[in-house]
Amino acid sequence: MLPNILTSKSTTKSGKEVTHLAGWVTFVLSMALALGTWNPTGHHFIHYISNVDDILSGFKPFGILIMLALWLLAIKSIFQSLGLFGALITTIIIGAFIWGLQQYNIIDVKEFKQAGWAATLGVGFVIWFGLNASIIWKKLTGVYTTDATSEDL
């Protein structure tokens, strides 16, 4: 199916082997989704669809549907693995990190471009953590938490 370099394997508590994307792959995909949707450079999806006369021409509807589907999958995985409270705590932690960078004058969030990069990368980290929360939890605690499916029953 996928090359081994792109996947990792984990064993559930019941001994079932589970294959999932490697952490670095989900990180790259999460950042690509966040940066591809919007970034301060102007080379992003929102700029692409907002600067046209006819939004329903060419491949624009296809691109809109693909982007919508990717965001729905990302949001579903975030709330499935973290829940609303976990997503909120993750966002607060990222915000606190950005605040710390501001306090040490590493970034200046008063400048639009730097604030935009901080927010866009922060969204990418929230997506990545949402995709990997159960895997990280398994490594920390030894318990693999997933929703029960009809296959497991």
Side-chain angles (χ1 to χ4, degrees), residues 91-110 114-115 118-119 122:
T91 304
I92 290 170
I93 291 169
I94 291 170
F97 180 75
I98 292 169
W99 179 78
L101 293 174
Q102 167 78 18
Q103 292 296 307
Y104 285 104
N105 296 319
I106 297 171
I107 64 171
D108 181 14
V109 293
K110 293 175 188 159
Q114 290 187 22

Side-chain angles (χ1 to χ4, degrees), residues 20-23 26-27 29-31 33 70-91 94 121-137 144-147:
H20 49 83
L21 289 174
T26 57
F27 179 77
L29 293 174
S30 299
M31 288 300 163
L33 180 59
L70 290 173
W71 272 105
L72 288 174
L73 287 171
I75 290 169
K76 181 185 183 302
S77 70
I78 289 167
F79 285 107
Q80 184 173 350
S81 63
L82 298 175
L84 178 61
F85 185 70
L88 184 62
I89 293 296
T90 303
T91 304
I94 291 170
L121 294 174
V123 168
F125 279 114
V126 170
I127 296 168
W128 176 81
F129 192 67
L131 290 173
N132 291 293
S134 63
I135 297 163
I136 294 168
W137 185 254
Y144 198 76
T145 57
T146 60
D147 289 341

Side-chain angles (χ1 to χ4, degrees), residues 141-152:
T141 65
V143 178
Y144 198 76
T145 57
T146 60
D147 289 341
T149 61
S150 60
E151 294 174 355
D152 297 332

Side-chain angles (χ1 to χ4, degrees), residues 14-84:
S14 63
K16 185 177 178 184
E17 191 171 83
V18 179
T19 303
H20 49 83
L21 289 174
W24 70 269
V25 175
T26 57
F27 179 77
V28 168
L29 293 174
S30 299
M31 288 300 163
L33 180 59
L35 293 169
T37 302
W38 186 87
N39 63 66
T41 66
H43 301 288
H44 51 77
F45 180 74
I46 292 174
H47 177 76
Y48 171 69
I49 64 166
S50 64
N51 291 325
V52 295
D53 294 330
D54 184 13
I55 198 166
L56 297 177
S57 66
F59 281 104
K60 290 172 192 74
F62 176 73
I64 291 168
L65 291 173
I66 293 295
M67 202 58 123
L68 182 63
L70 290 173
W71 272 105
L72 288 174
L73 287 171
I75 290 169
K76 181 185 183 302
S77 70
I78 289 167
F79 285 107
Q80 184 173 350
S81 63
L82 298 175
L84 178 61

